Amino acid sequence: MGLLADITPLRTRDFRRLWLAGVVTVIGGNLTIFAVPVQVYALTRNSAYVGLSGLFALVPLVVFGLWGGAWADAMDRRILLIIASCGLAVASLLLWAQAALAANNVWVVLCLLSVQQAFFAINSPTRSSAIPRMLPSDQLPAANSLKTLIAIKEKGVAFTSHFVNLHKFEQHEPRFVKINPNGQVPALVHDGKVVTESTVINEYLDDVFEGPPLRPADFFWRARMRSCGKDCALR
């Protein structure tokens, strides 16, 4: 399997550090999306509480998502990003602690979920708005395509990476246009078939290859995952 992508943005130290931190955030978010409904059902044996967990996650995500963008414009993005990241880490640690200590209180789980989602809602727009200050405008499309690498690593799929230099417009050369007529990266080639667009590639990887699932079974949380995927697109 071959992946054609431009990894030029990763050569910028600040962006590389932010991107790696984003990988950790995405993995943690996926673990939460999977673990919280499972724990809620184990505690209550009631699917209504599982649905309630979606409400506890959605409300702070919407409310603080709006505030997060405004705060990112009004204050130092670096400070806000540090606060949001620390909040995410503390909330995740408390979720782990209550499970390890067998607190067995569903309301504690739901409240911690809300706190974590609030910090996530602040973290995402702040991180995204910081990208244009780290990279020149011609590197932003390449930065947006890097999330595919996260899915490949998570699934443990062996692949060969082919560097496409957007600065030299290699995506418009005949050899690449033959693979993707749209002249866009990334492009995934598997068994002679071409898959394009980051989100579509990630879902293809999840459907075709064995390994840990990238999407939750619950349809609501799968929709939440798609929403988070848009936030994690580093643009």
Coordinates of all heavy atoms in Angstrom, one line a residue, residues 191-235:
D191 N -4.1 -2.1 -3.6 CA -4.5 -3.1 -4.5 C -4.8 -2.5 -5.9 O -5.8 -2.9 -6.5 CB -5.7 -3.9 -4.0 CG -5.3 -4.8 -2.9 OD1 -4.1 -5.1 -2.7 OD2 -6.2 -5.3 -2.1
G192 N -4.1 -1.5 -6.3 CA -4.3 -0.9 -7.6 C -5.5 0.1 -7.6 O -5.7 0.7 -8.7
K193 N -6.1 0.3 -6.5 CA -7.3 1.2 -6.4 C -6.8 2.5 -5.7 O -6.1 2.4 -4.7 CB -8.4 0.6 -5.7 CG -8.9 -0.7 -6.4 CD -10.0 -1.4 -5.6 CE -10.5 -2.7 -6.3 NZ -11.5 -3.4 -5.4
V194 N -7.4 3.6 -6.1 CA -7.0 4.9 -5.5 C -8.2 5.5 -4.7 O -9.3 5.5 -5.1 CB -6.6 5.9 -6.6 CG1 -6.3 7.3 -6.0 CG2 -5.5 5.4 -7.5
V195 N -7.8 5.9 -3.5 CA -8.8 6.5 -2.6 C -8.2 7.9 -2.2 O -7.0 8.1 -1.9 CB -9.0 5.7 -1.3 CG1 -10.1 6.4 -0.4 CG2 -9.3 4.3 -1.6
T196 N -9.1 8.9 -2.3 CA -8.6 10.3 -2.0 C -9.4 11.0 -0.9 O -10.5 10.4 -0.6 CB -8.7 11.2 -3.3 OG1 -10.1 11.2 -3.8 CG2 -7.8 10.6 -4.4
E197 N -9.0 12.1 -0.4 CA -9.5 12.9 0.6 C -9.3 12.2 2.0 O -9.6 11.0 2.2 CB -11.0 13.1 0.4 CG -11.3 13.9 -0.8 CD -12.8 14.3 -0.9 OE1 -13.5 14.1 0.1 OE2 -13.2 14.7 -2.0
S198 N -8.8 13.0 2.9 CA -8.3 12.5 4.2 C -9.4 11.7 5.0 O -9.2 10.5 5.4 CB -7.8 13.6 5.1 OG -6.7 14.3 4.5
T199 N -10.6 12.3 5.1 CA -11.6 11.6 5.9 C -12.1 10.3 5.2 O -12.3 9.3 5.9 CB -12.8 12.5 6.1 OG1 -12.4 13.7 6.7 CG2 -13.9 11.9 6.9
V200 N -12.2 10.3 3.9 CA -12.6 9.1 3.2 C -11.5 8.0 3.3 O -11.9 6.9 3.5 CB -12.9 9.5 1.7 CG1 -13.2 8.2 0.9 CG2 -14.0 10.5 1.6
I201 N -10.3 8.4 3.2 CA -9.2 7.5 3.4 C -9.2 6.8 4.7 O -9.1 5.6 4.9 CB -7.8 8.2 3.1 CG1 -7.7 8.6 1.7 CG2 -6.7 7.3 3.5 CD1 -6.4 9.4 1.4
N202 N -9.4 7.6 5.8 CA -9.5 7.1 7.1 C -10.6 6.1 7.3 O -10.4 5.0 7.9 CB -9.7 8.2 8.1 CG -8.4 9.1 8.3 OD1 -7.4 8.8 7.7 ND2 -8.5 10.2 9.0
E203 N -11.8 6.4 6.7 CA -12.9 5.4 6.9 C -12.6 4.2 6.0 O -13.0 3.0 6.4 CB -14.2 6.1 6.4 CG -14.6 7.2 7.3 CD -16.1 7.6 7.1 OE1 -16.8 6.9 6.4 OE2 -16.5 8.6 7.8
Y204 N -12.0 4.3 4.9 CA -11.6 3.1 4.1 C -10.6 2.3 4.9 O -10.8 1.0 4.9 CB -10.9 3.6 2.8 CG -10.4 2.5 1.9 CD1 -11.3 1.8 1.0 CD2 -9.1 2.1 1.9 CE1 -10.9 0.8 0.2 CE2 -8.6 1.1 1.1 CZ -9.5 0.4 0.3 OH -9.1 -0.6 -0.5
L205 N -9.6 2.9 5.5 CA -8.7 2.1 6.3 C -9.4 1.3 7.4 O -9.1 0.2 7.7 CB -7.6 3.0 6.9 CG -6.7 3.7 6.0 CD1 -5.9 4.8 6.7 CD2 -5.7 2.7 5.4
D206 N -10.4 1.9 8.0 CA -11.1 1.3 9.1 C -11.9 0.1 8.6 O -12.1 -0.9 9.3 CB -12.0 2.3 9.8 CG -12.4 1.8 11.2 OD1 -11.7 1.0 11.8 OD2 -13.5 2.3 11.7
D207 N -12.5 0.3 7.4 CA -13.4 -0.8 6.8 C -12.6 -2.0 6.3 O -13.0 -3.1 6.4 CB -14.2 -0.2 5.7 CG -15.3 0.8 6.2 OD1 -15.7 0.6 7.3 OD2 -15.7 1.7 5.4
V208 N -11.4 -1.7 5.8 CA -10.7 -2.7 5.0 C -9.7 -3.5 5.9 O -9.5 -4.7 5.8 CB -10.0 -2.1 3.8 CG1 -9.1 -3.2 3.1 CG2 -11.0 -1.6 2.8
F209 N -9.0 -2.8 6.8 CA -7.9 -3.4 7.5 C -8.3 -3.8 9.0 O -9.1 -3.2 9.6 CB -6.7 -2.5 7.6 CG -6.1 -2.2 6.3 CD1 -6.4 -1.1 5.5 CD2 -5.2 -3.2 5.7 CE1 -5.9 -0.9 4.3 CE2 -4.6 -2.9 4.5 CZ -4.9 -1.8 3.8
E210 N -7.7 -4.9 9.4 CA -8.0 -5.4 10.8 C -7.2 -4.4 11.8 O -6.4 -3.6 11.4 CB -7.5 -6.8 11.0 CG -8.3 -7.8 10.1 CD -7.8 -9.2 10.3 OE1 -6.8 -9.4 11.1 OE2 -8.4 -10.2 9.8
G211 N -7.5 -4.6 13.0 CA -6.8 -3.8 14.0 C -7.9 -3.0 14.8 O -9.1 -3.2 14.7
P212 N -7.4 -2.2 15.8 CA -8.4 -1.5 16.6 C -9.3 -0.6 15.8 O -8.9 0.1 14.9 CB -7.5 -0.6 17.5 CG -6.2 -0.5 16.8 CD -6.0 -1.8 16.1
P213 N -10.7 -0.7 16.0 CA -11.6 0.1 15.3 C -11.4 1.6 15.5 O -11.1 2.1 16.6 CB -13.0 -0.3 15.8 CG -12.7 -0.8 17.2 CD -11.3 -1.4 17.1
L214 N -11.5 2.4 14.4 CA -11.3 3.8 14.5 C -12.6 4.6 14.8 O -12.6 5.7 15.1 CB -10.7 4.4 13.2 CG -9.4 3.7 12.8 CD1 -8.9 4.3 11.5 CD2 -8.3 4.0 13.9
R215 N -13.7 3.8 14.6 CA -15.0 4.5 14.8 C -15.8 3.7 15.8 O -15.8 2.5 15.9 CB -15.8 4.5 13.4 CG -15.2 5.3 12.4 CD -15.9 5.1 11.0 NE -15.6 3.8 10.5 CZ -16.1 3.3 9.3 NH1 -16.8 4.1 8.6 NH2 -15.8 2.1 9.0
P216 N -16.6 4.4 16.7 CA -17.4 3.7 17.7 C -18.6 3.0 17.0 O -19.0 3.4 15.9 CB -17.8 4.9 18.6 CG -17.8 6.1 17.7 CD -16.6 5.9 16.8
A217 N -19.1 2.0 17.7 CA -20.3 1.3 17.2 C -21.6 2.1 17.2 O -22.4 2.1 16.4 CB -20.5 0.0 17.9
D218 N -21.7 2.9 18.3 CA -22.9 3.7 18.5 C -23.0 4.8 17.4 O -22.0 5.6 17.2 CB -22.9 4.4 19.9 CG -24.1 5.2 20.2 OD1 -25.2 4.6 20.6 OD2 -24.1 6.4 20.0
F219 N -24.1 5.0 16.8 CA -24.2 6.0 15.7 C -24.1 7.4 16.1 O -23.5 8.2 15.4 CB -25.6 5.8 15.0 CG -25.7 4.5 14.2 CD1 -26.6 3.5 14.6 CD2 -24.8 4.2 13.1 CE1 -26.6 2.3 13.9 CE2 -24.9 3.0 12.4 CZ -25.8 2.1 12.8
F220 N -24.6 7.7 17.3 CA -24.4 9.1 17.8 C -22.9 9.4 18.0 O -22.5 10.5 17.5 CB -25.2 9.4 19.1 CG -24.9 10.7 19.7 CD1 -25.5 11.8 19.3 CD2 -23.9 10.8 20.7 CE1 -25.2 13.1 19.8 CE2 -23.6 12.0 21.3 CZ -24.3 13.2 20.8
W221 N -22.2 8.5 18.7 CA -20.8 8.8 18.9 C -20.0 8.7 17.6 O -19.0 9.4 17.5 CB -20.3 7.8 19.9 CG -20.8 8.1 21.3 CD1 -21.8 7.5 22.0 CD2 -20.4 9.1 22.2 NE1 -22.1 8.1 23.2 CE2 -21.2 9.1 23.3 CE3 -19.4 10.1 22.1 CZ2 -21.0 10.0 24.4 CZ3 -19.2 11.0 23.1 CH2 -20.0 10.9 24.3
R222 N -20.5 8.0 16.6 CA -19.8 8.0 15.3 C -20.0 9.4 14.7 O -19.1 9.9 14.0 CB -20.4 6.9 14.4 CG -19.7 6.8 13.1 CD -20.1 5.5 12.3 NE -19.7 4.3 13.0 CZ -19.8 3.1 12.5 NH1 -20.3 2.9 11.3 NH2 -19.4 2.0 13.2
A223 N -21.2 10.0 14.8 CA -21.4 11.3 14.3 C -20.5 12.3 15.0 O -20.0 13.2 14.4 CB -22.9 11.7 14.5
R224 N -20.4 12.1 16.3 CA -19.5 13.0 17.1 C -18.0 12.9 16.6 O -17.3 13.8 16.6 CB -19.6 12.6 18.6 CG -20.7 13.2 19.3 CD -20.4 14.7 19.7 NE -19.3 14.7 20.7 CZ -18.1 15.1 20.5 NH1 -17.8 15.5 19.2 NH2 -17.2 15.1 21.4
M225 N -17.7 11.6 16.3 CA -16.3 11.4 15.8 C -16.1 12.2 14.5 O -15.0 12.8 14.3 CB -16.1 9.9 15.6 CG -14.7 9.5 15.0 SD -14.7 8.1 13.9 CE -15.6 8.8 12.5
R226 N -17.1 12.2 13.6 CA -16.9 12.9 12.4 C -16.8 14.4 12.6 O -16.0 15.1 11.9 CB -18.1 12.6 11.4 CG -18.1 11.2 10.9 CD -19.2 11.1 9.8 NE -19.1 9.7 9.2 CZ -20.0 8.8 9.5 NH1 -20.9 9.0 10.4 NH2 -19.9 7.6 9.0
S227 N -17.5 14.9 13.6 CA -17.4 16.3 14.0 C -16.0 16.6 14.5 O -15.4 17.6 14.1 CB -18.5 16.7 15.0 OG -18.4 18.0 15.5
C228 N -15.5 15.7 15.4 CA -14.2 15.9 15.9 C -13.1 15.8 14.8 O -12.1 16.5 14.8 CB -13.9 14.9 17.0 SG -14.8 15.0 18.5
G229 N -13.4 15.0 13.8 CA -12.5 14.8 12.7 C -12.3 16.1 11.9 O -11.2 16.5 11.5
K230 N -13.4 16.9 11.8 CA -13.3 18.2 11.1 C -12.4 19.2 11.9 O -11.7 19.9 11.4 CB -14.7 18.8 10.9 CG -15.5 18.0 9.9 CD -16.8 18.6 9.7 CE -17.7 17.9 8.6 NZ -19.0 18.5 8.4
D231 N -12.6 19.1 13.3 CA -11.8 20.0 14.1 C -10.3 19.6 14.1 O -9.5 20.5 14.2 CB -12.3 19.9 15.6 CG -13.7 20.5 15.8 OD1 -14.0 21.5 15.0 OD2 -14.4 20.1 16.7
C232 N -10.1 18.3 13.9 CA -8.7 17.9 14.0 C -8.0 18.1 12.6 O -6.8 17.8 12.5 CB -8.6 16.4 14.4 SG -9.1 16.1 16.0
A233 N -8.7 18.5 11.6 CA -8.1 18.8 10.3 C -7.2 20.0 10.5 O -7.8 21.1 10.7 CB -9.1 19.0 9.2
L234 N -5.9 19.9 10.5 CA -5.1 21.0 10.7 C -5.0 21.9 9.5 O -4.3 21.7 8.5 CB -3.7 20.5 11.1 CG -3.6 19.7 12.4 CD1 -2.2 19.2 12.6 CD2 -4.2 20.4 13.5
R235 N -5.8 23.0 9.5 CA -5.9 23.8 8.4 C -5.4 25.2 8.7 O -5.2 25.6 9.8 CB -7.3 23.9 7.9 CG -8.3 24.3 9.0 CD -9.8 24.0 8.5 NE -10.7 24.4 9.5 CZ -11.1 23.7 10.5 NH1 -10.6 22.5 10.6 NH2 -12.0 24.1 11.3

